[in-house]
Amino acid sequence: MNAAYEFVTGPLAWAAWGIFLLGSGWRLYSMRQLAMKKDASSWAFMDLGFSLRSIVNWLIPFNALGWRKNPVMTVTTFAFHICLIAVPVFLVAHVVLWTEFFGVSYATLPDNVADIMTLVVLAACLVFAGRRLGQKEVAYITTGKDWLALVIVTLPFLTGFLAYHQVFDYQVMIIAHIVAGEIMLAAIPFTRLSHMVFAAFTRAYMGSEFGGVRHARDW
Amino acid sequence: MGIQERLIEDVGLRRGVSQLTPEKIEKVVNAVLKGETGARLKTYAETCMRCGMCAEACHFAGSHPGDPSYTPAGKVHQTMSVLLDKKGRVDPDFVYGMAQLAYTECNLCRRCVHLCPIGIDTAYIMSTVRRICHKLGVTPQYMQDTAHSHASTFNQMWVKDDEWTDSLMWQEDEAREEFPGLRIPLDKEGADIYYSVIAPEPKFRTQLIYQAAAIMHMAGVDWTMPAQTGWDNSDMCMFSGDFEMMGRLKRQHFESAQKLKVKRIVMGECGHAFRSVYDVGNRWLGWRWHPVPVIHAVEFYWELIQEGKIKLAKKFPGPVTIQDPCNIVRGRGLQEKLREVTRFLVDGDIIEMHPNREHNYCCAAGGGVINCGPPFKNVRVDGNLVKAEQLKATGVKTVITPCHNCHGGLHDIIHHHKLGMELKFLSDIIYECMEKPEV
Ligand code: SF4
Ligand code: SF4
């Protein structure tokens, strides 16, 4: 067990972070090159001010028309993304690892808060799954890739929750949790999760077009 | 559910498809995808989270409740997603459905942009599908006829050179009875304004040219219209996917204005033509902005009003409602100017449709859909129950509609649902209400 733990927190962790960071960097870089080469007539209109205007307006819940027309999605998406990022970054058990390996330390979330936030993520995953199964317009367009992304995101939170509450064998569960987390990191650049890398830019582009050329809102 | 279950016979689509082989399809699809698309299409295809939030955006989806194949993402799912997944290995029957969907069930109105958190431009994806269909030779017959007309005559309606100048002189002649001294100055070098219209105006709506001339005359504008090709600012090639021809049309339009050394181009009350000249054609030609500044009639009238050049003898009796044309509202942000002009002209309230301004629903005629002709008329009328309800809820009799496509689309919707409303261009109202000389 110890050897396995050493392995997943050692080489495997390095690999996962490496794939995530280098992969994301490479995807962003190659997409930028492609955009400059093939989408020059779009690229030419990119504008920082209008990009930020659009991004900010879409970051406010219930501000954009899309959010207002989809209240359940708005609540779910915002809660999901906030918890999805905050829990792994500010969890005491994670910060301890950073301290142990690199000597860095920063603010943490109280464990019971993180626990609730984990449940929020899991509940949101259930809502997403429910929509994919039960809501016609979502079911119609759902593909294997979308299920894959959902499963990849659910697993680290599910295993983390079970490990924390010591359901099943803690040792096994914690290793499963670490592996699930590493799979998620490594999958970001190459699955639907790549919207983490690209969405800001697709939004920025729309904002630039609507702001700079069409003089209209895009939210 | 899906396009294959609602195919409509069209000679152009049928003939085009009959000449296809799977090999040819694969080659053409990949040539367009590799040669003409890049990061935009790639990121859209990859980051669309298949969340369905855009479903609410589309009037087609709203008018077919419970049928997800009409939603924006649903349309992409049946067309571009398949092409990408199968790397172009699809059969001719698939192409028929894909073409029908892209040409007749999406108005490229971009309302869905306002509903998608990622900022996916479904209209761009559908235009790219159309581009592929054009390259495959699978286009609706009526639309292709207008594209052929563009290619042979540089106008959309097979108007011959002499017919064009003849129509202008005829209108000038008629108008001089009401406005002595009125001219439609042809090819006047150095004029302030170059006025361009779409070819349906000389073909069947010549009174619009009459009215424009009357407004220019009374406002004392230094203007001209070109005697040669370039006068038609419309563009069905942009919608059929014939971008090469689109480029030639726009070049002709701008060059004819440049030759006359005019200061600005004013375009008549049309939405799609404005999109083509202001936003799309110039980019195809590699011009970031326009070699000659371009403004839409709504903005031009707004300017004339600001300068006190339009004097009214009376006001138009309201209340009225306003149809916001996608291409000048989501496409140019003219919604407030449109309302200011309307308030100047109308005595009575503006009863808004809901939603309105940037969020307004399309007329379902735009994007070339009305130009696909009679076989597809019901697609757009039944596909826009949403608009019928919007119109009905206002309870007014007059709809201000500063766009030719919106006119066509709303006319059919109003007629079909017996709404008893009349449509007005701004120029109709200005002409009707302005001060006229005592003859
Ligand atoms: S018709 Fe308009 S709202 Fe519907 S898919 Fe096309 S661009 Fe989007
Ligand atoms: S286009 Fe946008 S709103 Fe529609 S399913 Fe894709 S991500 Fe969701």
Side-chain angles (χ1 to χ4, degrees):
Chain A
M1 244 345 149
N2 253 347
Y5 184 81
E6 296 281 308
F7 177 70
V8 297
T9 51
L12 207 58
W14 280 101
W17 277 97
I19 295 171
F20 164 53
L21 291 174
L22 295 175
S24 301
W26 174 76
R27 292 234 49 204
L28 262 186
Y29 174 78
S30 56
M31 205 58 99
R32 177 176 181 270
Q33 295 306 100
L34 185 63
M36 285 165 67
K37 184 164 163 224
K38 284 296 194 188
D39 305 271
S41 66
S42 302
W43 186 257
F45 292 90
M46 287 303 270
D47 177 290
L48 184 64
F50 289 125
S51 294
L52 292 175
R53 181 178 88 154
S54 176
I55 291 171
V56 167
N57 273 293
W58 276 90
L59 281 179
I60 304 169
F62 296 104
N63 183 49
L65 185 66
W67 298 134
R68 275 184 273 140
K69 290 291 169 185
N70 294 280
V72 174
M73 262 308 261
T74 307
V75 172
T76 313
T77 299
F78 276 94
F80 171 78
H81 283 97
I82 291 168
C83 297
L84 178 80
I85 293 166
V87 172
V89 173
F90 298 108
L91 192 76
V92 175
H94 288 182
V95 178
V96 164
L97 287 175
W98 288 112
T99 317
E100 192 181 310
F101 283 93
F102 300 104
V104 281
S105 165
Y106 50 85
T108 54
L109 284 169
D111 272 354
N112 57 340
V113 174
D115 203 32
I116 293 168
M117 289 171 86
T118 304
L119 283 175
V120 169
V121 171
L122 292 174
C125 290
L126 275 180
V127 173
F128 294 147
R131 292 178 89 249
R132 296 219 176 281
L133 292 170
Q135 208 164 315
K136 268 187 176 173
E137 70 270 21
V138 190
Y140 186 73
I141 52 178
T142 295
T143 63
K145 288 180 189 168
D146 307 298
W147 283 114
L148 180 69
L150 191 53
V151 170
I152 290 177
V153 171
T154 310
L155 283 179
F157 289 86
L158 186 62
T159 51
F161 183 79
L162 294 177
Y164 176 68
H165 291 279
Q166 315 245 338
V167 185
F168 307 124
D169 184 280
Y170 177 76
Q171 295 293 327
V172 173
M173 203 44 85
I174 199 71
I175 289 172
H177 169 66
I178 296 170
V179 172
E182 288 164 350
I183 291 175
M184 181 170 92
L185 272 183
I188 287 172
F190 307 106
T191 59
R192 280 261 189 275
L193 303 181
S194 66
H195 73 282
M196 176 180 164
V197 181
F198 294 127
F201 296 94
T202 44
R203 183 81 264 149
Y205 169 61
M206 249 323 133
S208 302
E209 284 278 1
F210 271 73
V213 180
R214 301 178 188 144
H215 307 289
R217 295 184 290 164
D218 66 322
W219 60 89
Chain B
M1 261 176 296
I3 189 68
Q4 291 296 339
E5 279 132 62
R6 49 176 186 263
L7 294 182
I8 292 170
E9 266 314 296
D10 178 88
V11 189
L13 296 181
R14 186 58 69 200
R15 195 185 311 116
V17 163
S18 72
Q19 289 162 0
L20 293 178
T21 58
E23 296 72 42
K24 182 174 174 194
I25 299 171
E26 189 182 343
K27 199 170 146 223
V28 170
V29 170
N30 290 311
V32 174
L33 292 180
K34 290 210 182 71
E36 301 184 23
T37 73
R40 259 179 107 184
L41 187 67
K42 212 174 172 147
T43 44
Y44 289 164
E46 188 172 322
T47 55
C48 167
M49 293 309 288
R50 308 300 180 117
C51 67
M53 279 178 62
C54 51
E56 198 276 343
C58 187
H59 45 285
F60 281 105
S63 305
H64 297 279
D67 188 343
S69 66
Y70 285 101
T71 62
K75 294 181 222 191
V76 176
H77 183 69
Q78 296 171 79
T79 56
M80 186 53 90
S81 300
V82 181
L83 295 179
L84 290 169
D85 282 351
K86 301 199 169 167
K87 303 196 165 37
R89 281 189 283 270
V90 295
D91 57 31
D93 290 339
F94 174 84
V95 174
Y96 194 107
M98 160 175 107
Q100 180 178 326
L101 193 156
Y103 286 116
T104 73
E105 294 183 2
C106 175
N107 297 101
L108 314 180
C109 75
R110 297 200 190 102
R111 186 170 193 268
C112 38
V113 166
H114 284 84
L115 279 284
C116 173
I118 311 261
I120 288 178
D121 186 354
T122 303
Y124 164 74
I125 301 175
M126 298 320 284
S127 314
T128 310
V129 174
R130 290 183 183 196
R131 171 72 172 159
I132 291 170
C133 294
H134 158 75
K135 289 248 174 184
L136 286 168
V138 182
T139 48
Q141 189 196 29
Y142 274 81
M143 178 188 261
Q144 190 55 48
D145 179 71
T146 59
H148 284 326
S149 172
H150 275 307
S152 347
T153 65
F154 275 90
N155 72 72
Q156 191 200 127
M157 292 271 130
W158 302 101
V159 177
K160 297 194 194 106
D161 285 350
D162 59 333
E163 290 171 347
W164 163 244
T165 41
D166 204 46
S167 305
L168 296 184
M169 288 193 230
W170 164 45
Q171 288 311 303
E172 180 183 82
D173 232 26
E174 297 255 311
R176 282 169 74 92
E177 281 188 26
E178 201 179 359
F179 303 89
L182 176 147
R183 294 293 318 272
I184 298 184
L186 292 183
D187 280 350
K188 181 178 172 199
E189 253 189 46
D192 286 344
I193 299 297
Y194 169 107
Y195 186 62
S196 63
V197 297
I198 64 170
E201 293 203 11
K203 197 83 177 179
F204 3 80
R205 282 180 164 163
T206 31
Q207 88 280 4
L208 290 175
I209 296 175
Y210 179 115
Q211 289 170 182
I215 296 168
M216 298 283 190
H217 176 74
M218 292 307 287
V221 176
D222 175 22
W223 71 301
T224 186
M225 291 183 91
Q228 304 298 322
T229 52
W231 56 266
D232 176 17
N233 52 29
S234 77
D235 192 348
M236 278 308 123
C237 297
M238 165 176 70
F239 289 145
S240 75
D242 186 352
F243 297 160
E244 289 78 8
M245 194 58 221
M246 166 182 79
R248 290 177 61 203
L249 292 170
K250 296 310 107 175
R251 185 186 291 281
Q252 189 79 3
H253 181 241
F254 279 121
E255 283 184 353
S256 109
Q258 281 176 311
K259 270 185 209 140
L260 294 176
K261 302 185 181 72
V262 296
K263 297 205 178 71
R264 287 195 299 174
I265 296 171
V266 171
M267 302 181 55
E269 290 177 70
C270 181
H272 96 273
F274 189 76
R275 176 190 190 124
S276 163
V277 173
Y278 178 79
D279 191 352
V280 185
N282 54 316
R283 297 193 200 200
W284 174 266
L285 291 165
W287 296 327
R288 190 164 193 267
W289 295 112
H290 320 98
V292 181
V294 180
I295 64 167
H296 187 267
V298 167
E299 190 170 1
F300 181 62
Y301 296 144
W302 181 85
E303 282 181 8
L304 291 181
I305 291 167
Q306 300 302 305
E307 291 160 6
K309 290 184 178 164
I310 293 182
K311 295 196 181 61
L312 299 184
K314 58 174 183 190
K315 286 213 173 201
F316 184 84
V320 300
T321 189
I322 293 176
Q323 161 69 7
D324 287 292
C326 308
N327 287 319
I328 64 166
V329 170
R330 270 190 288 285
R332 182 59 185 82
L334 293 182
Q335 58 278 2
E336 297 312 329
K337 285 186 175 150
L338 174 54
R339 280 161 180 76
E340 284 172 35
V341 173
T342 305
R343 273 194 287 273
F344 174 79
L345 297 171
V346 172
D347 179 23
D349 290 334
I350 300 174
I351 311 289
E352 293 286 2
M353 284 190 256
H354 294 284
N356 53 53
R357 297 178 167 83
E358 290 105 320
H359 296 155
N360 191 31
Y361 282 110
C362 172
C363 63
V369 172
I370 195 169
N371 305 76
C372 295
F376 301 102
K377 182 175 169 189
N378 291 337
V379 174
R380 65 185 161 82
V381 175
D382 297 341
N384 213 349
L385 283 175
V386 170
K387 180 59 69 183
E389 280 156 20
Q390 254 193 319
L391 286 167
K392 201 167 171 190
T394 65
V396 305
K397 290 278 164 239
T398 310
V399 191
I400 309 256
T401 313
C403 168
H404 278 277
N405 273 304
C406 293
H407 255 255
L410 261 47
H411 174 270
D412 292 334
I413 290 168
I414 288 168
H415 190 74
H416 182 82
H417 294 280
K418 303 193 173 51
L419 298 179
M421 302 168 105
E422 58 167 358
L423 297 161
K424 292 280 185 194
F425 286 104
L426 286 175
S427 79
D428 291 331
I429 297 184
I430 298 176
Y431 168 75
E432 187 180 326
C433 299
M434 71 186 191
E435 281 182 358
K436 299 191 184 84
E438 314 239 334
V439 191

